[in-house]
Amino acid sequence: MNILLLGAGGREHALAWKLAQSPRCTTLWASPGNPGIAEVIGDLNARRSCTTPGACTAIDLTDHAAVKTFCKAQDIGLVVVGPEAPLVDGLADSLRGAGIAVFGPGKAAAQLEGSKGFTKDMCTRAGIPTAGYVRARSAAEAHAAIAGFSLPVVIKADGLAAGKGVVIPQTAEEAAATIDDMFGGAFGGAGAEVVIEEFLEGEEVSLFALTDGSAIVAFGSAQDHKRVGEGDTGPNTGGMGAYSPAPVLTAELEARAMAEIIAPTVAAMAEAGMPYSGVLFAGLMLTARGPKLIEYNCRFGDPECQVLMMRLESDLVDLLEACARGELAAAEPTRLSDEHAITVVMAAKGYPGTPASGGLIENLSAAEAHGAKVFHAGTATDGTGALVAKGGRVLNVTATGSSLQEARDRAYAALADIRFDDGFWRGDIGWRELARQSA
């Protein structure tokens, strides 16, 4: 099967790495891809001795006709959409309309990530446990609504904000300033509407599930670290590291979340005439009264995808195609290794503000000699072919082990061998779980 993977980050490198392991993956294309993905494709081309080898290629993903033309020309059997923006833009609908199988929800279903207000309203209708909330469409409306909430309070930009559109003010003054910032354009169009939520007490965890709109299968758990600083301090980022599984999500709690949150969501979307097909990434808060939904993402997380792909033993092509074709009920059960996986993000100095770019990156082969896998998140090659930084989150150094401590030790040993003068990382990924284990 010829496969087209859309995206350019660490999530997409991890997906490419796992897709290429399938004997069913004949040719792999990526748009736009990155140097790490290009290496995966080059290795696959050599193994398969393809008549028409795959490559990283530039396609304007907002030009749906161009994507369809490429798929027809290269006889693409499956399109895997990595990031959320093309899904919210309706690319999956355009591809399906042209008879092309695609992994990812259509535009209507992708509102689960594209609009936090849409998701909260869906939860209310379906009786899905979540935080109390108010939607506000103007600063004046938001200022009036905030008085009905205790502090701290959660204020979210309604639309896509690259994982950074959530603020938790501790004081009334901070809340007022956050509202003004959001409606003043701090998050662009994503802040044209905001959702104000009660602050939930508990521990946050991520649960993943695959669905074809009817059948549902669990796909593992993870916990990530959003704050830029050690001890979970400083501003929010797209994620500074993650580990899987998340032991805090016990088998009992996972079963509750699947029954009380995931399954009702899939049913509600189908009943509303917008069936959801793809991966459902549920951010959960484990409260004293059980799991509650914080928010949904309509794609694999980043960096959660990296640790999930390290643990996945099933054929990823089989799973994603089964979702795309509505055949998930007949697919082989999903198998995840019992091993623990951890990924540590190496970011460029200045992130999450204005990151330094162009810094030279060296010694990745020596890093991987520790048994780690280095996924490229924000890299490029310069005019000499050298690897350089291009983006805030640059590398995802990922390792597995029989315990979280073993996986962590391997990942940090690999990090120590990478030469990237402009890079930094958190030294405490997995700290909460390790503290629990040592208590």
Side-chain angles (χ1 to χ4, degrees):
M1 176 187 292
N2 298 339
I3 298 172
L4 172 63
L5 171 65
L6 304 182
R11 167 183 51 225
E12 287 75 34
H13 187 183
L15 289 170
W17 176 74
K18 185 56 69 171
L19 289 168
Q21 293 174 23
S22 170
R24 298 188 58 217
C25 182
T26 305
T27 304
L28 180 61
W29 294 86
S31 180
N34 65 36
I37 295 172
E39 185 176 332
V40 169
I41 293 173
D43 290 344
L44 178 65
N45 291 340
R47 295 200 310 271
R48 297 286 191 264
S49 300
C50 304
T51 303
T52 305
C56 291
T57 186
I59 310 171
D60 181 357
L61 302 188
T62 65
D63 186 344
H64 296 188
V67 181
K68 288 187 288 184
T69 297
F70 180 88
C71 289
K72 294 294 185 182
Q74 300 301 331
D75 192 25
I76 299 296
L78 177 66
V79 177
V80 178
V81 185
E84 63 275 17
L87 296 169
V88 172
D89 187 45
L91 179 58
D93 296 313
S94 297
L95 293 171
R96 289 192 182 100
I100 300 165
V102 56
F103 177 78
K107 182 174 184 175
Q111 289 180 93
L112 284 177
E113 179 166 3
S115 170
K116 294 177 178 65
F118 171 89
T119 300
K120 299 295 285 190
D121 289 348
M122 182 275 299
C123 287
T124 297
R125 292 192 301 271
I128 294 169
T130 189
Y133 73 102
V134 170
R135 299 177 71 172
R137 295 171 175 81
S138 70
E141 191 177 349
H143 284 301
I146 203 79
F149 290 83
S150 300
L151 293 167
V153 65
V154 181
I155 304 177
K156 299 178 178 179
D158 180 71
L160 298 180
K164 302 173 187 176
V166 179
V167 181
I168 306 176
Q170 303 294 313
T171 67
E173 292 76 17
E174 290 175 1
T178 297
I179 289 169
D180 290 339
D181 285 346
M182 287 195 178
F183 283 103
F187 298 102
E193 178 179 335
V194 304
V195 174
I196 302 170
E197 294 184 3
E198 66 170 322
F199 178 80
L200 294 177
E201 296 281 356
E203 191 157 349
E204 191 172 343
V205 67
S206 300
L207 175 62
F208 297 81
L210 298 181
T211 180
D212 59 7
S214 177
I216 309 168
V217 297
F219 198 80
S221 64
Q223 283 191 292
D224 76 333
H225 296 260
K226 288 291 187 191
R227 301 284 187 172
V228 72
E230 295 189 7
D232 294 322
T233 58
N236 270 330
T237 72
M240 293 298 294
Y243 57 92
S244 176
V248 70
L249 186 69
T250 63
E252 178 186 0
L253 288 174
E254 180 176 315
R256 281 191 63 180
M258 291 293 290
E260 298 173 13
I261 296 173
I262 301 291
T265 296
V266 173
M269 296 299 285
E271 290 168 6
M274 49 184 81
Y276 189 99
S277 172
V279 60
L280 263 179
F281 166 8
L284 307 175
M285 186 66 76
L286 303 182
T287 74
R289 301 181 65 180
K292 291 191 176 185
L293 180 70
I294 300 172
E295 63 184 16
Y296 273 126
N297 293 314
C298 63
R299 35 68 189 184
F300 285 108
D302 190 348
E304 294 90 346
C305 183
Q306 289 82 315
V307 288
L308 290 171
M309 291 303 113
M310 291 288 281
R311 295 183 58 222
L312 181 65
E313 295 178 335
S314 301
D315 188 311
L316 184 61
V317 173
D318 286 347
L319 288 171
L320 302 193
E321 186 188 24
C323 284
R325 298 193 183 282
E327 300 169 353
L328 188 59
E332 291 290 326
T334 302
R335 301 185 311 279
L336 292 171
S337 167
D338 290 334
E339 287 208 318
H340 297 254
I342 192 167
T343 189
V344 182
V345 171
M346 181 177 270
K349 291 176 181 176
Y351 179 77
T354 303
S357 63
L360 184 65
I361 302 166
E362 297 179 298
N363 230 30
L364 297 191
S365 295
E368 292 192 335
H370 292 278
K373 178 64 184 174
V374 180
F375 294 115
H376 293 229
T379 65
T381 52
D382 65 12
T384 69
L387 189 68
V388 297
K390 180 190 176 184
R393 294 186 295 171
V394 179
L395 300 171
N396 307 142
V397 182
T398 314
T400 60
S402 59
S403 67
L404 181 60
Q405 184 66 58
E406 184 177 53
R408 185 181 184 277
D409 289 346
R410 288 175 179 167
Y412 279 106
L415 271 165
D417 272 350
I418 296 173
R419 291 200 294 267
F420 175 35
D421 291 343
D422 286 341
F424 76 95
W425 61 89
R426 282 183 52 169
D428 64 344
I429 301 303
W431 70 272
R432 276 200 181 91
E433 183 55 36
L434 292 171
R436 269 193 292 267
Q437 293 176 7
S438 63

